[in-house]
Amino acid sequence: QEPAERALALVGRRQLDRARSDARAFVVEGSAGMGLLEGKIAIVSGVGPGMGQAMARTAAQEGAKVALAARRQALLDEVVADIRAAGGEAIGVSTDVSDQAQCDRLAAATLEAFGRIDGLVNSAYVAGESGPFEGGNVESWKQAFDVN
């Protein structure tokens, strides 16, 4: 199965079309015939099994060089390999977005690999607690705010 087909299976056509539409903010004037994100550099966080991965794959298919972030390096390596096999450029940096030092490391690795950063897709997510704040686990709420 092609990477695009796998991404579609993960998030559905409607969500992927919405992500593609949102990406139009990066369009380069005079880029007719080129990918929507040709020549752009994007960091995509939350490259797990859902939307973050689909957006990363779509950005790469549209010509962006992508720096991928997730907590699991093995998953990042798999997605990076798929993007490169399809002719794209990508790096994967294991990152917990709630840790500033790890975010700094991600930015530095992106700058080293690609020379600049044009956009960020902040797709990392943690559910946290649901229900009233009163009596809830403060650390769980803090983690949800830090990540989301």
Side-chain angles (χ1 to χ4, degrees), residues 41-108:
I41 314 300
I43 293 176
V44 183
S45 71
V47 180
M51 277 298 287
Q53 184 178 143
M55 289 186 284
R57 290 177 185 278
T58 299
Q61 288 169 348
E62 292 294 335
K65 297 175 184 175
V66 291
L68 312 180
R71 290 177 292 178
R72 293 185 5 220
Q73 187 65 49
L75 177 62
L76 288 171
D77 292 343
E78 185 179 307
V79 177
V80 166
D82 287 349
I83 289 171
R84 288 178 178 167
E89 292 186 52
I91 62 168
V93 180
S94 178
T95 307
D96 177 345
V97 297
S98 68
D99 182 322
Q100 183 64 49
Q102 291 186 42
C103 291
D104 292 344
R105 186 172 53 89
L106 170 62

Side-chain angles (χ1 to χ4, degrees), residues 10-22:
L10 288 172
V11 299
R13 166 72 59 191
R14 184 171 160 220
Q15 290 175 319
L16 193 57
D17 287 345
R18 184 174 168 191
R20 184 179 244 190
S21 174
D22 290 347

